Amino acid sequence: MKVLIAEDDASVRHLLKKTLLRAGYDVVEAADGRAALKCLLSADGPRLALLDWLMPELDGLSVCREIRSCAKHPYVYMIFLTSKSSKEDVAAGLAAGADDYLTKPYNPQELKARLRAGERILKLEDTLIHDALHDPLTHLPNRSFFLDRLSLCVSRGKRHADYKFAVLFVDIDRFRVVNDSLGNAAGDQLLTQVAERLGGSIRQGISTSRAIAACATERQQRGGGILARLGGDKFTVLLEDIQNAADGIRVAERIQRNIQSPFLIDGQEVFITASTGIALSSTGYSAAENMLGDAFAAMNRAKALGKARYEICDPVMHAAAVDRLRLETDLRGALERDEFRVCYQPIVSLGDGRITGFEALVRWQRPEFGLVMPSGFIPVTEDTGLILEMGNWVLGEACRQLCVWNRQFPSDRSFTVAVNVSARQFVQPDLVDRIAQILYESGTEPFNLRLEITESMTIGDEERVARILAELKVLGVRLCMDDFGTGYSSLSYLRRFSLDVLKIDRSFVSDMVSNTESCEIVKTILRLGRNLGIEVVAEGVETAEQVSLLQSLGCEYAQGYYFSEPIDESGVAQTLSLLGASDYTLPNGLPIQSVSLSVK
């Protein structure tokens, strides 16, 4: 290890140097404090230092304080070697930041012992720093290390317009399948082997993850690539000082080829693929986190487009990522700011024209953007988990409003309200208790509430789904299968889950007049409902021809823009008041005419 001797007395320096060279140290000398400080602050400066107190230019105390003020500089172990021996002097030296204190004349054996102690402390310091910046499984740099290096590149890119770099975000496709089928130990083996192959994809000759970590600093100096593991099956690559986008693409293509070869895990061949997102510095970044986020967005796009491929984050994708971030931020405070609105679309009896109930539909009155439809924000609330709080609020608001209408407009049959339950809500362990509490607090009769689920929500753990639906049935609420007929329909679901209502998807209703296949599907669903004693509602009814055809096929209930757009609570109250009859039927005439709504 290299040791600095900072001593203005040449004879003392000579003796110290002779002693340390015999002990195996590499020695550098400084005759004054200014030279000592410059030496310690240099890129390859010594980590051990012997400092005299009284030196020209800058004394030992000042050197010590200057070194300790450089927080990001590698730790230097400093020992005062001086003739100043009073207790006050020792205390002052240690207070300035020295690690040890020896007085002259010194004992050579004691000096060497104290230097060895300093070496042990420095090695421990380096180990702690390494562990804090590296992944324990693959020994690759971790997220903190990666972002620190990327920040340096971003700063350099701001200063030099011709400096180009790229970030690749690599995610293993379907890694969870390996973990679930072969176990976590096998998953760890796979990740270690993946790290090795990714390293080989970046630069020839680097074949192990340990070598990648050990060579990170060297590559940082000469250019090349730095591989890091962010956690789980997610890896990132920083390519420095590249010529153009083609350099990043070539690495991504090598990753695809190398990953696709079989892995040998406990004697078993495992095949995987990877999705990669590429962000280029030419887009212009002011923060490392933003560039990493764009690479992540590009990776997600690669997954959405079929996996086992790479995608480049272009300006359009970057703008989309910025919009998405703002959308998430705005959504997080929307409920507290009372920006959500619940609208209601009437559900009509096709037999007598009576309004039997309503479907509750949420809207977002977003500042600066106006009224936003569910497709513009529901997917984001699902991804972020905000759907739980918002969904509970919608359910409570709909139940409360239903009670108001049933008291204000009494009839021989009370109105019902249908509320959509998202997949994230459905897996809440206390879902049934929450619904029971909302019913109790709002005063809503359970049989007046219809919970709408989609067919896709029933795929997977059928035992759990059946148990939850059975508990809801015991509670007294009615269960409705929304968008029936698309994608996953199975007769076994109808039998096992004891559904009360089927809603024919609007895609079949809109085409049934002109498309024979759609009409046959509608007929089949209606026949199925009659045979099983399940109520059927046609969604998306928009024309008189659709109404007439549904009536001829025996469909009992419908909803859609032909009757009414979704309207707010005051609009519903005004509509029911205008109808002016105890059964709240639509105006007479065939086909059934739409409700005249003056409030939207």
Side-chain angles (χ1 to χ4, degrees):
M1 185 172 281
K2 189 184 296 184
V3 180
L4 168 69
I5 300 174
E7 169 66 58
D8 61 332
D9 188 321
S11 60
V12 174
R13 284 203 315 274
H14 176 74
L15 291 174
L16 283 171
K17 182 177 181 179
K18 186 176 180 180
T19 300
L20 296 183
L21 287 175
R22 287 176 178 174
Y25 289 101
D26 182 13
V27 178
V28 291
E29 301 176 62
D32 60 69
R34 188 72 64 188
L37 181 62
K38 182 179 180 180
C39 178
L40 292 174
L41 291 178
S42 62
D44 59 345
R47 303 281 302 282
L48 283 170
L50 296 174
L51 299 178
D52 188 17
W53 186 307
L54 301 174
M55 292 187 292
E57 298 290 336
L58 207 64
D59 63 24
L61 285 180
S62 300
V63 172
C64 199
R65 292 192 187 101
E66 286 290 334
I67 293 298
R68 292 293 178 247
S69 67
C70 301
K72 291 188 176 182
H73 196 270
Y75 192 82
V76 178
Y77 192 90
M78 293 180 287
I79 302 174
F80 268 121
L81 183 57
T82 176
S83 58
K84 296 174 73 66
S85 58
S86 70
K87 292 183 178 180
E88 292 77 12
D89 292 333
V90 173
L94 296 176
D99 298 282
D100 206 345
Y101 200 101
L102 271 176
T103 57
K104 300 174 182 177
Y106 63 90
N107 181 298
Q109 297 304 317
E110 182 181 4
L111 173 62
K112 287 186 285 187
R114 298 204 181 200
L115 286 172
R116 298 298 185 199
E119 285 187 70
R120 291 194 295 271
I121 291 175
L122 288 176
K123 289 178 181 178
L124 177 60
E125 172 86 8
D126 291 344
T127 299
L128 292 174
I129 292 175
H130 179 276
D131 291 347
L133 295 175
H134 289 78
D135 170 53
L137 175 65
T138 63
H139 304 285
L140 291 174
N142 61 15
R143 182 187 184 90
S144 295
F145 185 110
F146 186 83
L147 285 175
D148 182 62
R149 290 289 189 258
L150 181 55
S151 295
L152 294 176
C153 290
V154 171
S155 298
R156 183 177 178 185
K158 291 178 182 177
R159 298 191 303 269
H160 305 283
D162 59 341
Y163 177 70
K164 299 180 178 64
F165 54 98
V167 170
L168 279 63
F169 197 112
V170 184
D171 186 90
I172 307 305
D173 299 325
R174 303 176 69 249
F175 172 74
R176 184 175 178 181
V177 174
V178 177
N179 247 9
D180 292 345
S181 58
L182 301 181
N184 291 334
D188 288 347
Q189 291 183 46
L190 178 60
L191 289 172
T192 301
Q193 293 184 32
V194 166
E196 293 175 357
R197 291 198 191 178
L198 291 176
S201 301
I202 299 171
R203 181 176 289 276
Q204 296 295 329
I206 301 177
S207 59
T208 67
S209 58
R210 288 183 182 273
I212 294 167
C215 295
T217 302
E218 180 185 352
R219 290 197 309 278
Q220 174 73 16
Q221 294 172 352
R222 75 184 184 211
I226 293 178
L227 173 65
R229 182 187 177 211
L230 297 195
D233 59 342
K234 294 176 174 55
F235 297 84
T236 50
V237 177
L238 172 60
L239 300 177
E240 304 174 60
D241 202 17
I242 62 175
Q243 297 299 313
N244 49 47
D247 290 339
I249 292 173
R250 278 192 287 270
V251 172
E253 289 175 342
R254 284 202 298 270
I255 288 173
Q256 298 298 325
R257 289 195 300 270
N258 292 343
I259 289 294
Q260 288 175 2
S261 300
F263 291 82
L264 192 63
I265 306 295
D266 292 336
Q268 180 176 343
E269 284 192 340
V270 175
F271 293 85
I272 61 170
T273 58
S275 297
T276 303
I278 305 173
L280 302 170
S281 60
S282 55
T283 300
Y285 292 96
S286 59
E289 291 83 356
N290 295 341
M291 190 171 186
L292 182 61
D294 278 0
F296 176 73
M299 181 276 295
N300 279 332
R301 179 174 173 80
K303 280 189 175 293
L305 292 176
K307 303 182 176 68
R309 58 184 292 155
Y310 64 85
E311 286 290 321
I312 300 176
C313 182
D314 55 21
V316 174
M317 188 181 295
H318 175 76
V322 172
D323 290 343
R324 165 70 182 241
L325 178 61
R326 182 180 178 186
L327 180 62
E328 288 185 17
T329 303
D330 290 351
L331 273 171
R332 292 188 183 279
L335 198 60
E336 289 78 4
R337 295 189 296 268
D338 195 27
E339 293 173 1
F340 289 119
R341 305 285 183 266
V342 180
C343 295
Y344 303 87
Q345 187 169 48
I347 299 172
V348 176
S349 168
L350 295 180
D352 57 14
R354 178 185 176 189
I355 296 178
T356 62
F358 305 88
E359 179 180 358
L361 301 165
V362 67
R363 305 286 188 262
W364 179 20
Q365 190 66 47
R366 188 182 181 190
E368 301 180 22
F369 290 86
L371 197 65
V372 182
M373 295 294 105
S375 60
F377 64 92
I378 289 296
V380 178
T381 63
E382 288 272 10
D383 291 345
T384 59
L386 295 172
I387 189 68
L388 299 178
E389 185 178 6
M390 189 192 73
N392 291 333
W393 176 81
V394 171
L395 182 61
E397 188 69 13
C399 288
R400 180 193 64 79
Q401 191 58 55
L402 182 67
C403 283
V404 172
W405 292 330
N406 278 327
R407 287 195 301 267
Q408 188 176 357
F409 306 100
S411 176
D412 57 334
R413 289 181 292 174
S414 55
F415 297 120
T416 64
V417 67
V419 181
N420 291 279
V421 178
S422 73
R424 292 288 292 268
Q425 288 177 276
F426 196 72
V427 297
Q428 292 180 104
D430 60 345
L431 174 67
V432 178
D433 291 338
R434 284 178 178 272
I435 293 174
Q437 182 179 1
I438 289 173
L439 290 171
Y440 173 77
E441 292 176 350
S442 64
T444 302
E445 295 293 341
F447 57 81
N448 285 334
L449 174 61
R450 298 182 175 188
L451 296 178
E452 295 195 2
I453 62 174
T454 60
E455 295 177 63
S456 60
M457 289 168 53
T458 63
I459 302 298
D461 190 351
E462 293 187 17
E463 293 294 335
R464 181 184 58 81
V465 172
R467 175 180 55 80
I468 295 175
L469 294 180
E471 292 176 1
L472 291 171
K473 291 284 286 187
V474 171
L475 187 61
V477 302
R478 304 188 73 190
L479 304 176
C480 175
M481 181 69 77
D482 196 14
D483 301 332
F484 189 75
T486 58
Y488 303 97
S489 297
S490 171
L491 297 180
S492 64
Y493 295 157
L494 302 182
R495 174 182 55 81
R496 187 172 186 184
F497 297 150
S498 301
L499 298 168
D500 301 292
V501 182
L502 297 179
K503 300 189 82 171
I504 305 175
D505 187 71
R506 64 182 65 249
S507 62
F508 302 120
V509 175
S510 62
D511 289 345
M512 68 179 182
V513 174
S514 57
N515 188 300
T516 303
E517 291 183 358
S518 293
C519 187
E520 288 300 321
I521 291 175
V522 172
K523 287 181 183 179
T524 301
I525 297 174
L526 289 170
R527 189 181 307 115
L528 185 64
R530 284 193 294 270
N531 293 338
L532 296 177
I534 299 176
E535 181 181 305
V536 179
V537 179
E539 290 188 290
V541 178
E542 296 183 352
T543 68
E545 290 79 9
Q546 292 170 358
V547 172
S548 296
L549 182 53
L550 288 169
Q551 286 177 318
S552 68
L553 296 177
C555 182
E556 294 183 277
Y557 302 97
Q559 69 181 92
Y561 276 41
Y562 177 76
F563 308 108
S564 171
E565 296 180 12
I567 52 178
D568 61 20
E569 57 191 60
S570 61
V572 172
Q574 184 170 344
T575 297
L576 296 177
S577 298
L578 290 173
L579 292 176
S582 61
D583 57 357
Y584 306 104
T585 57
L586 300 177
N588 293 328
L590 290 176
I592 294 176
Q593 299 173 5
S594 61
V595 179
S596 175
L597 301 174
S598 59
V599 179
K600 297 291 179 72

Coordinates of all heavy atoms in Angstrom, one line a residue, residues 417-447:
V417 N -78.5 -0.4 -8.5 CA -77.3 0.3 -9.0 C -76.3 -0.8 -9.3 O -76.1 -1.6 -8.4 CB -76.8 1.4 -8.1 CG1 -76.3 0.8 -6.8 CG2 -75.8 2.2 -8.8
A418 N -75.6 -0.7 -10.4 CA -74.6 -1.6 -10.8 C -73.2 -0.9 -10.7 O -73.1 0.2 -11.2 CB -74.8 -2.2 -12.2
V419 N -72.3 -1.5 -10.0 CA -71.0 -0.9 -9.8 C -69.9 -1.8 -10.2 O -69.9 -3.0 -9.8 CB -70.7 -0.5 -8.3 CG1 -69.4 0.2 -8.1 CG2 -71.9 0.5 -7.8
N420 N -68.9 -1.4 -11.0 CA -67.8 -2.2 -11.5 C -66.8 -2.5 -10.4 O -66.5 -1.5 -9.6 CB -67.1 -1.6 -12.7 CG -68.0 -1.5 -13.9 OD1 -68.1 -2.5 -14.6 ND2 -68.6 -0.4 -14.1
V421 N -66.4 -3.7 -10.3 CA -65.3 -4.1 -9.3 C -64.1 -4.4 -10.1 O -64.1 -5.3 -11.0 CB -65.8 -5.2 -8.4 CG1 -64.6 -5.6 -7.5 CG2 -67.0 -4.9 -7.6
S422 N -63.0 -3.8 -9.8 CA -61.8 -4.0 -10.6 C -61.1 -5.3 -10.1 O -61.4 -5.8 -9.0 CB -60.8 -2.8 -10.5 OG -60.2 -2.8 -9.2
A423 N -60.1 -5.8 -10.9 CA -59.4 -7.0 -10.5 C -58.6 -6.7 -9.2 O -58.5 -7.6 -8.3 CB -58.4 -7.4 -11.6
R424 N -58.0 -5.5 -9.0 CA -57.3 -5.2 -7.8 C -58.2 -5.1 -6.6 O -57.8 -5.6 -5.5 CB -56.6 -3.8 -8.0 CG -55.4 -3.8 -9.0 CD -54.2 -4.6 -8.5 NE -53.6 -3.9 -7.4 CZ -52.6 -3.1 -7.5 NH1 -52.1 -2.7 -8.7 NH2 -52.0 -2.5 -6.4
Q425 N -59.4 -4.6 -6.8 CA -60.3 -4.6 -5.7 C -60.7 -6.0 -5.3 O -60.9 -6.4 -4.1 CB -61.6 -3.8 -6.0 CG -61.4 -2.3 -6.1 CD -62.7 -1.7 -6.5 OE1 -63.0 -1.5 -7.7 NE2 -63.5 -1.2 -5.5
F426 N -60.9 -6.9 -6.3 CA -61.5 -8.2 -6.1 C -60.5 -9.1 -5.2 O -61.0 -10.0 -4.6 CB -61.7 -8.9 -7.4 CG -62.6 -10.1 -7.3 CD1 -64.0 -9.9 -7.1 CD2 -62.1 -11.3 -7.5 CE1 -64.8 -11.0 -7.0 CE2 -63.0 -12.4 -7.4 CZ -64.3 -12.3 -7.2
V427 N -59.2 -8.8 -5.3 CA -58.3 -9.6 -4.5 C -58.0 -9.1 -3.1 O -57.2 -9.7 -2.4 CB -57.0 -9.8 -5.3 CG1 -57.1 -10.5 -6.6 CG2 -56.3 -8.4 -5.5
Q428 N -58.7 -8.0 -2.7 CA -58.6 -7.5 -1.3 C -59.1 -8.6 -0.4 O -60.2 -9.1 -0.5 CB -59.4 -6.2 -1.1 CG -58.9 -5.0 -1.9 CD -59.8 -3.8 -1.6 OE1 -59.4 -2.9 -0.9 NE2 -60.9 -3.8 -2.3
P429 N -58.3 -8.9 0.7 CA -58.8 -9.9 1.6 C -60.0 -9.5 2.4 O -60.8 -10.4 2.8 CB -57.6 -10.1 2.5 CG -56.8 -8.8 2.4 CD -57.0 -8.4 1.0
D430 N -60.3 -8.2 2.5 CA -61.4 -7.7 3.3 C -62.5 -7.2 2.4 O -63.3 -6.3 2.8 CB -61.0 -6.7 4.3 CG -60.3 -5.5 3.7 OD1 -60.0 -5.5 2.5 OD2 -60.2 -4.4 4.4
L431 N -62.6 -7.6 1.1 CA -63.5 -7.0 0.2 C -65.0 -7.2 0.7 O -65.7 -6.2 0.7 CB -63.4 -7.8 -1.2 CG -64.5 -7.4 -2.2 CD1 -64.3 -5.9 -2.7 CD2 -64.4 -8.3 -3.4
V432 N -65.3 -8.4 1.1 CA -66.7 -8.6 1.6 C -67.0 -7.7 2.8 O -68.1 -7.1 2.8 CB -66.9 -10.1 1.9 CG1 -68.4 -10.3 2.4 CG2 -66.7 -10.9 0.6
D433 N -66.1 -7.6 3.7 CA -66.4 -6.7 4.9 C -66.5 -5.3 4.5 O -67.3 -4.6 5.1 CB -65.2 -6.9 5.9 CG -65.2 -8.3 6.5 OD1 -66.2 -8.9 6.5 OD2 -64.1 -8.7 7.0
R434 N -65.7 -4.8 3.5 CA -65.8 -3.4 3.1 C -67.2 -3.2 2.5 O -67.8 -2.1 2.7 CB -64.7 -3.1 2.1 CG -63.3 -3.0 2.6 CD -62.3 -2.7 1.5 NE -61.0 -2.5 2.1 CZ -60.5 -1.3 2.4 NH1 -61.2 -0.2 2.2 NH2 -59.3 -1.2 2.9
I435 N -67.6 -4.1 1.6 CA -68.9 -3.9 1.0 C -70.0 -3.9 2.0 O -71.0 -3.1 1.9 CB -69.1 -5.0 -0.1 CG1 -68.1 -4.8 -1.3 CG2 -70.6 -4.9 -0.6 CD1 -68.2 -5.8 -2.3
A436 N -69.9 -4.8 3.0 CA -70.9 -4.9 4.0 C -71.0 -3.6 4.8 O -72.1 -3.1 5.1 CB -70.7 -6.0 5.0
Q437 N -69.8 -3.0 5.1 CA -69.8 -1.7 5.8 C -70.4 -0.6 5.0 O -71.1 0.2 5.5 CB -68.4 -1.4 6.2 CG -68.2 -0.1 7.0 CD -66.8 0.2 7.4 OE1 -65.9 -0.6 7.0 NE2 -66.6 1.3 8.1
I438 N -70.1 -0.5 3.7 CA -70.7 0.5 2.8 C -72.2 0.4 2.8 O -72.9 1.4 2.8 CB -70.0 0.4 1.4 CG1 -68.6 0.9 1.5 CG2 -70.8 1.3 0.4 CD1 -67.8 0.7 0.2
L439 N -72.7 -0.8 2.6 CA -74.1 -1.0 2.6 C -74.8 -0.5 3.9 O -75.8 0.1 3.9 CB -74.4 -2.5 2.4 CG -74.1 -3.1 1.0 CD1 -74.3 -4.6 1.0 CD2 -75.0 -2.5 0.0
Y440 N -74.1 -0.9 5.0 CA -74.7 -0.5 6.3 C -74.7 1.0 6.5 O -75.7 1.7 6.9 CB -73.9 -1.1 7.4 CG -74.3 -0.7 8.8 CD1 -75.4 -1.1 9.4 CD2 -73.5 0.2 9.5 CE1 -75.8 -0.7 10.7 CE2 -73.8 0.7 10.8 CZ -75.0 0.2 11.4 OH -75.3 0.6 12.6
E441 N -73.6 1.7 6.2 CA -73.4 3.1 6.4 C -74.3 3.9 5.4 O -74.8 5.0 5.8 CB -72.0 3.5 6.2 CG -71.0 3.0 7.2 CD -69.6 3.4 7.0 OE1 -69.3 3.9 5.9 OE2 -68.7 3.2 7.9
S442 N -74.6 3.4 4.2 CA -75.4 4.1 3.3 C -76.9 3.8 3.4 O -77.7 4.5 2.9 CB -75.0 3.8 1.8 OG -75.2 2.4 1.5
G443 N -77.2 2.7 4.1 CA -78.6 2.3 4.2 C -79.1 1.6 3.0 O -80.4 1.5 2.9
T444 N -78.3 1.1 2.2 CA -78.7 0.4 0.9 C -79.0 -1.0 1.2 O -78.3 -1.7 1.9 CB -77.6 0.5 -0.1 OG1 -77.2 1.8 -0.4 CG2 -78.0 -0.2 -1.4
E445 N -80.2 -1.5 0.6 CA -80.5 -2.9 0.7 C -79.6 -3.7 -0.1 O -79.4 -3.4 -1.3 CB -82.0 -3.1 0.3 CG -83.0 -2.5 1.2 CD -83.1 -3.1 2.6 OE1 -82.6 -4.2 2.7 OE2 -83.6 -2.4 3.5
P446 N -79.0 -4.8 0.4 CA -78.0 -5.5 -0.4 C -78.6 -6.0 -1.8 O -77.8 -6.0 -2.8 CB -77.7 -6.7 0.5 CG -78.0 -6.3 1.9 CD -79.1 -5.3 1.7
F447 N -79.8 -6.4 -1.9 CA -80.4 -6.9 -3.2 C -80.5 -5.8 -4.2 O -80.7 -6.0 -5.4 CB -81.7 -7.6 -3.0 CG -82.8 -6.7 -2.3 CD1 -83.5 -5.8 -3.1 CD2 -83.0 -6.9 -1.0 CE1 -84.5 -5.0 -2.5 CE2 -84.0 -6.1 -0.4 CZ -84.7 -5.2 -1.1

